[in-house]
Amino acid sequence: MQTLTRRRDFVAANAGLRAPMPGFVLLVHDRADGDPTIRVGFTVTKKIGNAVVRNRMKRRLRALARELLPDGGIRGADHVLIGREGGIERDFAALRHEFGKALGRIARGESAPVRGPRPPQRRR
């Protein structure tokens, strides 16, 4: 399992399959390059909290990935975990269950619709 570091890999994953869960969003993009390596990336925005909170969330996501991706991940695909606001307070067992559920959805080819750009806000 390799870690994603380049922005273009994260952007490409955004065009793939998506499985939103209460604690995180899982994005999976098939690289179609013939390499069976599972790659994983993590992102947590500043909306979630300060650096301590974001790092804690990333540690939780890394632990989930180490535990479940080798068996449940899709070979030859990039997996991106995006931390959500509720993920830091959620029980780790609940996150583990949700991650397994998200991997199952992706394996079946189910995907949530991609969110488009927000409509412009009207000024008052």
Side-chain angles (χ1 to χ4, degrees), residues 20-24 30-31 34-35 44 46 74 88 101 115-116:
M21 293 288 148
F24 60 88
D30 185 14
R31 292 189 312 271
D35 183 11
V44 181
K46 287 185 176 182
I74 298 172
I88 200 69
K101 194 170 157 182
R115 286 188 354 188

Side-chain angles (χ1 to χ4, degrees), residues 2-15:
Q2 292 179 346
T3 304
L4 296 176
T5 56
R6 295 194 171 133
R7 183 178 188 278
R8 68 179 176 194
D9 294 331
F10 285 89
V11 171
N14 198 32

Side-chain angles (χ1 to χ4, degrees), residues 33-110:
D33 62 357
D35 183 11
T37 304
I38 294 175
R39 298 192 316 179
V40 63
F42 309 96
T43 183
V44 181
T45 66
K46 287 185 176 182
K47 284 195 303 187
I48 304 304
N50 64 13
V52 173
V53 172
R54 291 193 313 268
N55 288 334
R56 183 169 178 229
M57 185 67 200
K58 281 191 268 188
R59 280 195 305 273
R60 298 182 94 194
L61 293 175
R62 279 194 292 270
L64 284 173
R66 268 193 309 271
E67 188 176 325
L68 298 176
L69 271 184
D71 297 329
I74 298 172
R75 302 272 172 220
D78 291 341
H79 300 70
V80 175
L81 287 160
I82 302 171
R84 280 187 155 178
E85 213 167 318
I88 200 69
E89 291 91 19
R90 294 187 72 74
D91 183 43
F92 190 75
L95 280 176
R96 184 184 303 119
H97 175 72
E98 291 168 2
F99 190 54
K101 194 170 157 182
L103 286 172
R105 282 185 185 174
I106 296 295
R108 290 190 302 271
E110 297 174 16

